[in-house]
């Protein structure tokens, strides 16, 4: 019985993570401009991978394998802002007219 | 019974992930701007990470998770290097254009 | 710090034997010495970091909650036909240390819907996908918690 509860929990987390990842890719096709697409991509990076890894953790028995999964998720959580920041900077550096695509605001 | 259920779950997840990865690859080839392509490559890296993790759980091999960790490292490195190179190229181009404009005057 | 190195070594090895434990202790000791000698790290700073652990954990929890919330806010934007209204917001942060500013920028980037583009001195340029996300940008929960942590650090250095 407890095995089946574990299986259902794994399936829930895994499919939830897959759903977030798929909506990230759908966002790539829906949005028209790069910086808008990046938001969709960062969604998959943060919550999508975290949910998939959590689901896999629930299904495993070995403590060290679970810790490795968590380490991978934490590593991606640390590095994805850096790469996102660099991509945004690249876009601003290569684009000559950023004000066409978005509204500039000063606060 | 429970092994069959796990196997079915993992295989279906892998199939969905591979289809999505292919869609992402199309986007990476078609993307009109450089940043588009880099974003798509970053996305493919994340999807492959998920695939390796699921594969490790399916085969019951713990060491495949190490491969996933190294893959995350390499993907991050690739994105950083690509961005640095293209930012350098863009800045150089801008400088050259400014110089040419000065020469015209 | 040495304890962290040792934990990482054990996780990557995947099993516990006497040899691995002994090697781990030697290697983490050597790495700690390297950090103190070449990377401008000292036991005093370690003590400060240890005192910040409770507020750091609280911050991590807030970050997780914010990630989940903003993901749920992003989903309708993707699947509905409404066009998003992107904005580039520039604002000043009251944070004084470089490290806390860096953490703030990274937290803003990791929550979907907002990406920090530039960070120069105390002005931060943030790209927001929608107007609702741009509204509360200069008064975030992150910023308040980071301010508290900064004050704790200041008190630590005065003593």
């Amino acid at each position: 019985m407890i095995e089946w509860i574990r299986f259902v929990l794994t399936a829930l987390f895994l499919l939830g993570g897959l759903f977030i990842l798929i909506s990230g890719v759908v966002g790539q096709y829906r949005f028209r401009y790069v910086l808008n697409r990046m938001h969709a991509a960062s969604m998959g990076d943060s919550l999508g991978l975290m949910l998939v890894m959590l689901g896999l953790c629930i299904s495993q028995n070995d403590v060290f394998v679970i810790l490795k999964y968590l380490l991978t998720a934490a590593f991606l959580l640390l590095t994805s802002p850096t790469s996102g920041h660099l991509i945004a900077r690249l876009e601003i550096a290569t684009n000559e007219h950023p004000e066409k695509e978005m509204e500039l605001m000063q606060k | 019974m429970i092994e069959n259920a796990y196997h079915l779950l993992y295989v279906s997840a892998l199939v969905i992930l591979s289809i999505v990865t292919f869609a992402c690859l199309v986007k990476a080839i078609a993307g009109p701007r450089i940043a588009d392509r880099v974003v798509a490559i970053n996305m493919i890296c994340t999807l492959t990470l998920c695939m390796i993790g699921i594969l490790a759980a399916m085969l019951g091999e713990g060491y495949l998770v190490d491969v996933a960790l190294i893959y995350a490292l390499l993907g991050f490195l690739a994105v950083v290097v690509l961005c640095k190179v293209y930012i350098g190229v863009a800045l150089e181009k801008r400088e050259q254009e400014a110089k040419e404009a000065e020469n015209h005057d | 710090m040495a304890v962290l190195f040792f934990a990482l070594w054990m996780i990557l090895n995947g099993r516990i034997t006497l040899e691995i434990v002994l090697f781990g202790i030697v290697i983490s000791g050597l790495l700690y010495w390297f950090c103190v000698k070449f990377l401008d790290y000292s036991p005093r700073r370690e003590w400060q970091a240890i005192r910040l652990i409770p507020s750091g954990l609280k911050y991590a929890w807030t970050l997780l909650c914010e990630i989940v919330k903003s993901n749920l806010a992003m989903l309708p934007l993707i699947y509905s036909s409404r066009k998003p209204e992107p904005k580039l917001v520039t604002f000043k942060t009251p944070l004084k240390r470089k490290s806390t500013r860096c953490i703030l920028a990274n937290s803003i980037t990791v929550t979907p819907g907002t990406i920090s583009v530039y960070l120069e001195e105390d002005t931060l340029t943030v790209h927001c996908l929608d107007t609702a996300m741009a509204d509360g940008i200069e008064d975030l929960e992150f910023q308040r918690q980071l301010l508290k942590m900064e004050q704790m650090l200041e008190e630590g250095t005065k003593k």
Side-chain angles (χ1 to χ4, degrees):
Chain A
M1 192 58 210
I2 208 119
E3 283 292 306
W4 280 103
I5 293 174
R6 229 167 83 172
F7 173 73
V8 170
L9 271 179
T10 307
L12 261 178
F13 275 109
L14 206 63
L15 293 180
L18 278 185
F19 176 66
I20 300 267
L21 283 169
I22 290 170
S23 35
V25 177
V26 170
Q28 300 267 311
Y29 281 89
R30 296 271 321 210
F31 291 146
R32 287 272 80 90
Y33 184 59
V34 193
L35 281 175
N36 304 356
R37 281 182 188 144
M38 272 192 63
H39 293 295
S42 83
M43 208 170 83
D45 267 359
S46 56
L47 194 68
L49 195 92
M50 222 154 62
L51 280 182
V52 169
M53 290 297 168
L54 259 180
L56 291 174
C57 284
I58 292 169
S59 76
Q60 297 293 311
N61 290 317
D62 193 356
V63 180
F64 284 110
V65 175
I66 292 175
L67 283 176
K68 269 185 212 169
Y69 275 126
L70 289 181
L71 190 68
T72 314
F75 186 79
L76 206 84
L77 206 65
L78 281 181
T79 55
S80 75
T82 314
S83 45
H85 173 73
L86 270 172
I87 296 171
R89 208 151 163 185
L90 164 71
E91 177 49 34
I92 297 285
T94 52
N95 197 347
E96 264 119 42
H97 307 286
E99 63 278 357
K100 265 184 202 164
E101 305 286 348
M102 57 207 148
E103 201 176 320
L104 301 179
M105 252 168 102
Q106 194 89 29
K107 273 198 180 175
Chain B
M1 188 61 197
I2 187 110
E3 280 89 15
N4 279 339
Y6 268 118
H7 195 256
L8 189 69
L9 174 68
Y10 289 151
V11 168
S12 49
L14 280 178
V15 168
I16 294 172
L17 272 179
S18 47
I19 293 170
V20 168
T21 312
F22 196 75
C24 222
L25 188 63
V26 171
K27 197 77 213 171
I29 295 169
R33 304 183 64 83
I34 300 163
D36 260 322
R37 291 165 213 255
V38 182
V39 169
I41 286 171
N42 201 6
M43 204 74 220
I44 289 176
C45 175
T46 314
L47 291 169
T48 315
L49 217 58
C50 287
M51 278 164 91
I52 296 174
I54 293 172
L55 204 65
M58 196 171 118
L59 299 177
E61 309 271 14
Y63 62 81
L64 269 175
V65 191
D66 295 353
V67 178
L69 196 59
I70 301 295
Y71 196 86
L73 246 164
L74 284 181
F76 171 63
L77 202 66
V79 169
V80 168
V81 169
L82 274 177
C83 284
K84 280 279 170 201
V85 168
Y86 279 121
I87 287 174
V89 168
L91 288 183
E92 224 167 65
K93 210 172 159 190
R94 197 166 281 183
E95 247 170 47
Q96 228 167 24
E97 273 169 13
K99 227 178 246 172
E100 272 173 21
E102 261 179 32
N103 286 348
H104 268 290
D105 294 336
Chain C
M1 192 79 171
V3 180
L4 267 181
F5 282 142
F6 186 65
L8 192 64
W9 168 263
M10 291 317 290
I11 289 173
L12 288 180
N13 263 298
R15 58 183 187 279
I16 299 177
T17 59
L18 185 65
E19 272 175 67
I20 288 177
V21 171
L22 283 179
F23 264 107
I25 290 171
V26 171
I27 288 176
S28 44
L30 276 178
L31 271 176
Y32 185 67
W33 175 80
F34 180 82
C35 282
V36 170
K37 181 102 180 170
F38 293 107
L39 293 184
D40 192 24
Y41 190 81
S42 63
R44 205 176 61 83
R45 285 174 75 178
E46 189 162 75
W47 184 240
Q48 282 182 357
I50 286 173
R51 281 198 317 140
L52 280 180
I53 281 178
S55 44
L57 283 179
K58 197 179 154 211
Y59 183 75
W61 176 246
T62 328
L63 186 61
L64 277 181
C65 290
E66 285 295 318
I67 285 175
V68 173
K69 255 193 262 170
S70 53
N71 266 291
L72 293 182
M74 279 287 290
L75 282 178
L77 267 177
I78 287 179
Y79 287 110
S80 71
S81 56
R82 190 165 68 88
K83 279 254 162 69
E85 298 148 11
K87 272 186 182 162
L88 204 67
V89 185
T90 309
F91 69 100
K92 282 189 191 304
T93 61
L95 298 174
K96 289 192 185 59
R97 281 169 182 262
K98 268 185 186 168
S99 53
T100 42
R101 274 180 204 155
C102 180
I103 294 173
L104 176 69
N106 272 353
S107 321
I108 285 175
T109 312
V110 87
T111 45
T114 44
I115 294 177
S116 56
V117 183
Y118 282 116
L119 174 62
E120 281 157 357
E121 292 302 312
D122 62 343
T123 43
L124 198 63
T125 309
V126 179
H127 180 264
C128 302
L129 184 58
D130 205 27
T131 324
M133 287 158 178
D135 280 344
I137 194 75
E138 78 265 22
D139 189 32
L140 281 173
E141 180 67 31
F142 300 136
Q143 197 160 301
R144 262 172 267 150
Q145 289 199 7
L146 279 175
L147 264 176
K148 249 181 226 166
M149 281 162 83
E150 205 171 52
Q151 275 169 4
M152 275 176 72
L153 269 179
E154 293 290 323
E155 281 166 17
T157 43
K158 264 175 207 166
K159 281 167 195 170

